[in-house]
Amino acid sequence: MDLARTEVTGATGPGRKKAPRGSRRGSAVRLALMAGPVAFFAVFFAYPVAAIVARGLKADGVWRLGRIGDVLAQSDVRHVLWFTTWQALASTALTLLIALPGAYVFARFDFPGKQVLRAVVTVPFVLPTVVVGTAFLALVGRGGLLDELWGVRLDTTVWAILLAHVFFNYAVVVRTVGGLWSQLDPRQEEAARMLGASRLRAWRQVTLPALAPAVAAAALMVFLFTFTSFGVVQILGGPAFSTLEVEIYRQTSQVFDLSTAAVLTLIQFAAVAVVLAVHAWTVRRRETALRLVDAATTARRPRGAGQWTLLAGVLGVIALLLVLPLAVLVQRSLGASGFGYYRALTREDGGAFLVPPIEAIGNSLQYAVAATVIAVVIGALAATALTRRDAGRYVRGFDALLMLPLGVSAVTVGFGFLIALDEPPLDLRSSWVLVPLAQALVGVPFVVRTMLPVLRAVDGRLREAAAVLGASPWRVWREVDLPMVRRALLVAAGFAFAVSLGEFGATVFIARPDNPTLPVAVARLLGRPGDMNYGQAMALSTILMLVCAVALVVLERLRTDRSGEF
């Protein structure tokens, strides 16, 4: 039965069919599932952002909406908007081009060290962007590796920015697309080959349409991260390049022009909303039910020269683009004094820190665990609510709204928390929970985008059969959906944990001086002159890298245990 045709609202009349009881119950359940995420985003996202925008565009109780036109009329603002959009599109295309072969290798090939390498691939994504920019500056800047070997410098060029964005977002494509790819039944593509289709044609007409939602989700996340890029552009772009995020930061903290910053925030918000609307419309048209299998049964050792060449090429890209910057990071943390920079982390300096910098490790882990729990709960509820194919426009709008935290300035969110959440009944300014709440805002979209393609790929007839047999919605989720999406849920939790560890933009404004996180501690050390401060920043960045690697290796072992469940 086509529930989309029979579900109606209001009283029935001539020519109308009364909505089935199951359909009405499904709508009620969906609304109940949406209630939690909507309340969370309304209180901890919409309210703080609205508060900071109102502070910038309102003077003496009067809205100064004409300020929007004044800002847009400035040629330098239009140039910033153009460069922000152009580099985000170029970064997204380049990341997909380089990372999709990696997604295929991790999904379909089985080779020694695969779990460790998957964790290594994810580590760059959780590094603070200021550290990513500094690592690439050591490679392509004055006195960097390329300069020493061949006399080539790429800093203050767009190529340095694009490569750093690929370094940062490679894991998004590998884990989002590869997670679904590994669960697609390869026999469908093999059947097309037996019917005479070439390998390329079989992939283009069978596998690619099935992967389209995951590819679109990965492209959306990469675009949003590069559209709001801050640390990478600020360090590698120099004065020649500036994104909206960099300009918002400059107007807020250096020029102290809050009204211009508010206008730029609205521009960024509007641009992201348009992107999300287009994404929701295009992806919805391509969704289809898929045949999912256990990921452990689809990976095999490479066969033939072509597959071994592909594996070697992907490993080479990972070594040059991902491992080399990390190796430079480790080398800089050791320097000429061995472990001197690490020993200095245990001492109080009475300056930028009220506690030894080493305590930032424990703070980050505690905040990340709390943020992961919040993000998984809110994200799982939202993804489940979005699973129904008979959802109306309000549900599709809800889908797009969940992604807005990735496209709104983290600087704006951080300031908004300080302004909006400082009086009863939400006086959280001095509470430790403020940090994981801000981190969870960024983690929820990753949970949703990771789980949603798999949830929507589950054959809806399985849920309908369970409901007909008398199963409650909770039991349908537990016995039908959960076994199929358990692997995606673990991947989503890993993403949320990683994002929380590396979140910097909002945390830098709300983390207390006696409880800094690792990214905040790194930024403070980088902002202070002297080789010792720089070395300690590199040491903390290396520790952050190792903590993330260990956590991700544990996650890999949990989701690929011998039980065979995923």
Side-chain angles (χ1 to χ4, degrees):
M1 178 181 294
D2 188 354
L3 297 180
R5 294 179 180 270
T6 58
E7 185 176 10
V8 296
T9 57
T12 60
R16 291 187 177 183
K17 295 182 180 180
K18 187 177 180 179
R21 182 179 301 177
S23 177
R24 296 197 301 270
R25 184 176 67 175
S27 297
V29 170
R30 183 170 59 245
L31 290 175
L33 290 170
M34 290 172 56
V38 167
F40 177 79
F41 275 82
V43 174
F44 298 113
F45 175 69
Y47 177 48
V49 171
I52 192 68
V53 171
R55 180 71 64 91
L57 295 181
K58 203 173 184 180
D60 300 325
V62 179
W63 285 94
R64 299 183 297 170
L65 298 181
R67 182 60 178 161
I68 298 177
D70 296 338
V71 173
L72 288 175
Q74 301 175 15
S75 59
D76 56 340
V77 171
R78 293 198 300 270
H79 176 75
V80 168
L81 180 59
W82 173 85
F83 176 74
T84 301
T85 305
W86 179 88
Q87 64 83 26
L89 290 172
S91 297
T92 302
L94 188 61
T95 301
L96 290 175
L97 180 65
I98 295 177
L100 281 176
Y104 173 79
V105 165
F106 279 101
R108 293 303 197 203
F109 290 172
D110 186 18
F111 52 91
K114 178 179 176 180
Q115 294 182 14
V116 175
L117 191 62
R118 192 194 299 268
V120 170
V121 165
T122 309
V123 166
F125 180 72
V126 303
L127 293 177
T129 54
V130 290
V131 177
V132 175
T134 303
F136 267 81
L137 193 64
L139 286 177
V140 302
R142 182 186 299 275
L145 184 62
L146 293 182
D147 192 15
E148 292 178 354
L149 294 179
W150 299 293
V152 176
R153 289 183 54 192
L154 296 177
D155 59 324
T156 68
T157 69
V158 72
W159 280 108
I161 296 173
L162 296 181
L163 290 176
H165 283 161
V166 175
F167 169 87
F168 188 75
N169 293 291
Y170 187 91
V172 175
V173 178
V174 168
R175 299 189 73 97
T176 303
V177 179
L180 179 60
W181 208 336
S182 63
Q183 293 180 259
L184 295 181
D185 192 344
R187 291 174 295 184
Q188 299 181 34
E189 188 172 327
E190 293 171 0
R193 294 286 308 281
M194 293 180 63
L195 293 175
S198 64
R199 185 181 298 275
L200 178 61
R201 183 179 180 184
W203 181 84
R204 189 177 67 250
Q205 296 185 353
V206 177
T207 304
L208 184 58
L211 288 175
V215 173
L220 175 67
M221 287 188 283
V222 174
F223 180 85
L224 291 179
F225 270 107
T226 53
F227 189 82
T228 58
S229 183
F230 173 62
V232 169
V233 177
Q234 188 179 38
I235 293 176
L236 296 177
F241 302 106
S242 179
T243 58
L244 281 172
E245 187 81 0
V246 174
E247 190 64 20
I248 291 171
Y249 176 79
R250 190 180 73 86
Q251 294 291 338
T252 302
S253 61
Q254 298 178 9
V255 183
F256 304 108
D257 187 350
L258 196 58
S259 64
T260 299
V263 172
L264 295 178
T265 297
L266 290 177
I267 294 173
Q268 185 169 290
F269 187 88
V272 170
V274 171
V275 172
L276 293 176
V278 173
H279 169 268
W281 181 74
T282 56
V283 171
R284 195 76 181 178
R285 292 170 62 91
R286 295 186 177 185
E287 288 172 353
T288 181
L290 306 176
R291 181 186 300 173
L292 301 182
V293 297
D294 190 338
T297 64
T298 61
R300 53 179 173 76
R301 291 185 64 84
R303 301 174 183 173
Q307 293 188 358
W308 281 107
T309 301
L310 175 61
L311 175 60
V314 169
L315 294 179
V317 169
I318 292 175
L320 291 177
L321 189 61
L322 305 183
V323 176
L324 185 58
L326 298 180
V328 172
L329 189 65
V330 175
Q331 186 272 331
R332 292 294 180 94
S333 73
L334 296 174
S337 59
F339 291 93
Y341 295 143
Y342 291 90
R343 289 191 292 268
L345 295 175
T346 61
R347 299 194 296 264
E348 296 185 25
D349 61 359
F353 298 95
L354 300 179
V355 296
I358 196 70
E359 292 192 12
I361 300 174
N363 296 335
S364 287
L365 291 175
Q366 294 175 19
Y367 289 144
V369 170
T372 300
V373 173
I374 297 172
V376 168
V377 171
I378 298 297
L381 289 174
T384 304
L386 293 169
T387 301
R388 291 291 298 271
R389 299 181 184 278
D390 58 339
R393 292 182 179 179
Y394 68 96
V395 178
R396 292 194 289 272
F398 171 67
D399 186 6
L401 289 175
L402 292 172
M403 300 298 294
L404 285 178
L406 297 183
V408 174
S409 169
V411 174
T412 301
V413 174
F415 271 128
F417 267 46
L418 295 180
I419 291 175
L421 304 180
D422 63 342
E423 57 184 5
L426 287 175
D427 187 4
L428 302 177
R429 190 167 182 173
S430 60
S431 174
W432 68 272
V433 76
L434 206 60
V435 174
L437 284 173
Q439 294 173 345
L441 280 174
V442 184
V444 168
F446 283 92
V447 175
V448 174
R449 294 342 295 185
T450 303
M451 294 184 61
L452 197 55
V454 179
L455 274 171
R456 284 177 171 168
V458 176
D459 194 337
R461 291 172 296 183
L462 297 176
R463 300 189 187 99
E464 295 172 3
V468 168
L469 293 175
S472 65
W474 164 245
R475 187 175 180 183
V476 171
W477 156 257
R478 188 179 69 247
E479 297 188 8
V480 177
D481 292 279
L482 184 58
M484 298 295 292
V485 302
R486 185 171 299 158
R487 180 177 183 273
L489 185 63
L490 288 172
V491 173
F495 257 132
F497 182 80
V499 169
S500 300
L501 278 178
E503 205 286 322
F504 170 71
T507 306
V508 69
F509 296 103
I510 57 179
R512 296 186 301 183
D514 58 340
N515 284 290
T517 63
L518 277 170
V520 171
V522 169
R524 290 179 184 174
L525 289 168
L526 285 175
R528 302 171 67 186
D531 292 338
M532 179 59 69
N533 291 318
Y534 180 81
Q536 289 184 77
M538 295 300 100
L540 275 181
S541 299
T542 302
I543 292 173
L544 175 58
M545 177 186 69
L546 293 176
V547 169
C548 294
V550 171
L552 293 169
V553 167
V554 171
L555 178 65
E556 289 298 317
R557 292 187 178 277
L558 284 176
R559 72 180 187 85
T560 56
D561 60 13
R562 296 181 180 180
S563 65
E565 296 182 344
F566 59 100

